[in-house]
């Protein structure tokens, strides 16, 4: 839209964003030719997200994921699993997980 001559405010209205957000995005992701490149911006955004991403306790490659999956296959509820792990491993935070984390890992 900017290349076609639209104003910053028109772009912001069309995208339902604030003009300041559009301005920052355009400034942040300009190429050497001073043009906004959405593909390059998306690539940089994904790269930054991956760098910030914290590995979940229930990442697919963890032992805890396998334990929780085993209990779920045995028809345990996420609340029952979380309670059992919290009781069994009261002193080990790495082996404990909340029922919300289980829901997010398996049902989202």
């Amino acid at each position: 839209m900017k290349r076609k001559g639209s104003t910053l405010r028109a772009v912001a209205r069309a995208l339902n964003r604030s003009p300041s957000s559009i301005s920052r995005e355009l400034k942040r992701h300009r190429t050497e030719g001073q043009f906004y490149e959405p593909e390059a911006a998306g690539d940089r955004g994904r790269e930054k997200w991956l760098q910030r991403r914290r590995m979940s306790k229930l990442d697919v490659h963890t032992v805890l994921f396998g334990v929780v999956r085993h209990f779920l296959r045995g028809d345990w509820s996420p609340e029952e699993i979380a309670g059992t792990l919290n009781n069994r491993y009261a002193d080990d935070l790495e082996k404990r997980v909340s029922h919300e984390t289980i829901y997010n890992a398996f049902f989202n």
Side-chain angles (χ1 to χ4, degrees):
M1 289 178 70
K2 283 297 290 173
R3 285 185 186 171
K4 292 181 180 179
S6 296
T7 66
L8 197 63
R9 291 191 182 281
V11 174
R13 265 192 309 276
L15 297 175
N16 197 28
R17 298 286 184 261
S18 74
S20 62
S21 295
I22 301 301
S23 176
R24 279 193 308 273
E25 177 72 9
L26 292 174
K27 287 178 185 174
R28 186 178 300 133
H29 297 291
R30 283 189 178 146
T31 61
E32 290 178 24
Q34 294 300 307
F35 291 108
Y36 177 76
E37 294 294 336
E39 294 83 11
D43 290 345
R44 283 192 295 273
R46 277 184 290 284
E47 189 175 306
K48 284 184 178 184
W49 177 80
L50 287 171
Q51 290 171 355
R52 286 191 318 265
R53 184 174 170 250
R54 185 176 68 115
M55 190 172 117
S56 169
K57 281 186 179 182
L58 286 180
D59 193 82
V60 176
H61 305 292
T62 63
V63 173
L64 188 57
F65 181 90
V67 170
V68 171
R69 183 176 55 198
H70 172 77
F71 284 129
L72 287 171
R73 287 180 176 164
D75 291 330
W76 287 43
S77 73
E79 289 84 358
E80 290 172 318
I81 297 167
T84 299
L85 292 174
N86 288 343
N87 289 336
R88 200 174 285 177
Y89 302 108
D91 296 330
D92 190 352
L93 292 176
E94 292 302 311
K95 294 180 182 172
R96 295 167 46 186
V97 66
S98 71
H99 67 278
E100 291 97 345
T101 301
I102 295 171
Y103 277 111
N104 286 331
F106 287 91
F107 303 109
N108 280 340

